[in-house]
Amino acid sequence: MSAQTDSPQQLQQLYKQLKQQLADSDFESATNTLPQLLTALEQLPEHWTESEQWVETVAEINDFLNEIQPELEQARDETQETITKIGKSKKGVKAYTK
């Protein structure tokens, strides 16, 4: 899928896909969808602000991303702590390098 979204519906589809993946705790898929969504938001059509549908879609996605950001940061921090603990444990390192 190209990063350029040609319609608010395409952007909405990516947004719904990400929302469903997070609801299903399908984080592996969500880690692929989130960058696609962010790239699409960065490459909106030139006059997107003139379309009410575009503006509403972008506002809805922005609100959602702001809402989930603390959860994503917490998950990242917890993962980093776990990796650090494993790295400090000789048994943990041996277990992961076998």
Side-chain angles (χ1 to χ4, degrees):
M1 178 175 195
S2 73
Q4 176 71 38
T5 48
D6 299 320
S7 71
Q9 292 80 10
Q10 286 178 313
L11 188 59
Q12 189 70 245
Q13 183 179 353
L14 267 177
Y15 164 59
K16 287 180 180 178
Q17 182 178 329
L18 176 64
K19 231 176 142 173
Q20 188 60 53
Q21 289 166 342
L22 291 173
D24 294 342
S25 296
D26 183 3
F27 300 118
E28 188 173 339
S29 296
T31 60
N32 293 323
T33 303
L34 181 59
Q36 290 176 2
L37 181 62
L38 295 175
T39 299
L41 287 171
E42 291 173 0
Q43 299 180 357
L44 294 171
E46 192 172 323
H47 301 289
W48 71 273
T49 55
E50 297 172 12
S51 163
E52 188 174 328
Q53 192 174 14
W54 272 110
V55 171
E56 287 176 3
T57 300
V58 171
E60 183 180 354
I61 294 169
N62 186 57
D63 289 347
F64 175 72
L65 292 176
N66 286 333
E67 181 182 309
I68 66 166
Q69 183 178 355
E71 295 173 40
L72 295 176
E73 288 174 353
Q74 180 182 356
R76 180 196 63 208
D77 292 346
E78 288 172 1
T79 302
Q80 187 60 44
E81 287 174 20
T82 302
I83 290 170
T84 301
K85 286 178 186 176
I86 290 170
K88 289 180 179 178
S89 163
K90 288 184 180 182
K91 286 184 180 178
V93 172
K94 287 180 182 176
Y96 280 93
T97 56
K98 282 188 177 181

